[in-house]
Amino acid sequence: MADITAILSATTSPDANTRQAAEAQLKQAQEQNLGAFLQSLANEVATEAKPLDSRRLAGLILKNALDAKDEALKADKQDKWVAMDPNIRNAVKGCVWNQLGSPVQEIRHTCAQVIAKIAGAEMPKALWTSLVTDLQNNMATGEPGKR
């Protein structure tokens, strides 16, 4: 995928043509290779050197790629997530999990939301069996931002 930071930045452009082109690029990337798209978003969120706005937007798009208000669409998104290569799922989880300790509260919050959506897809299928233990360990021994 092209420079995700630039594309995310362009989605907030006041110029409608620039914004629409960026949104179309994101949609195309998501449709062509969902795993690579979600990995790119997770990497964006996890890279503290990236602009805060692009990190926050990447997290929001990542969360929305796993959730929907419509139950049928939500189930479809969860099924796609569960069917994805476990290495990609684990890499995405690792990126957002590590950001629970981010010095930026907004990033911690966004990543907690993404983790909740991933858990919603994986827990019923017993794909993230360590989640509860991991959360307990964070509470007991984690950095203050991870609690």
Side-chain angles (χ1 to χ4, degrees):
M1 173 169 208
D3 180 17
I4 187 80
T5 305
I7 296 169
L8 290 168
S9 178
T11 64
T12 62
S13 172
D15 178 62
N17 291 330
T18 301
R19 190 174 55 253
Q20 289 170 352
E23 290 169 355
Q25 279 185 288
L26 291 174
K27 183 177 180 182
Q28 181 182 20
Q30 184 172 4
E31 291 171 353
Q32 286 181 346
N33 189 338
L34 181 61
F37 176 69
L38 296 180
Q39 181 68 61
S40 293
L41 293 172
N43 288 338
E44 185 77 12
V45 171
T47 305
E48 292 186 18
K50 299 286 187 171
L52 177 58
D53 286 343
S54 70
R55 293 177 69 204
R56 184 177 32 233
L57 185 55
L60 179 63
I61 294 169
L62 182 55
K63 176 186 74 78
N64 290 341
L66 300 166
D67 193 34
K69 290 182 181 180
D70 177 77
E71 288 300 319
L73 180 56
K74 179 178 180 175
D76 181 56
K77 289 180 176 190
Q78 289 179 338
D79 289 344
K80 286 178 182 175
W81 170 261
V82 169
M84 197 175 302
D85 179 341
N87 293 322
I88 293 173
R89 287 197 330 260
N90 289 333
V92 170
K93 288 190 291 191
C95 285
V96 295
W97 183 269
N98 289 335
Q99 289 306 301
L100 290 177
S102 170
V104 182
Q105 188 277 335
E106 293 167 278
I107 298 302
R108 292 192 310 264
H109 177 79
T110 299
C111 288
Q113 290 180 319
V114 173
I115 288 168
K117 300 310 174 188
I118 293 171
E122 291 193 3
M123 294 292 286
K125 295 179 177 14
L127 294 174
W128 198 356
T129 57
S130 68
L131 177 61
V132 173
T133 303
D134 293 341
L135 289 169
Q136 289 172 329
N137 289 339
N138 264 359
M139 291 299 294
T141 62
E143 302 164 29
K146 284 190 174 183
R147 292 185 195 158

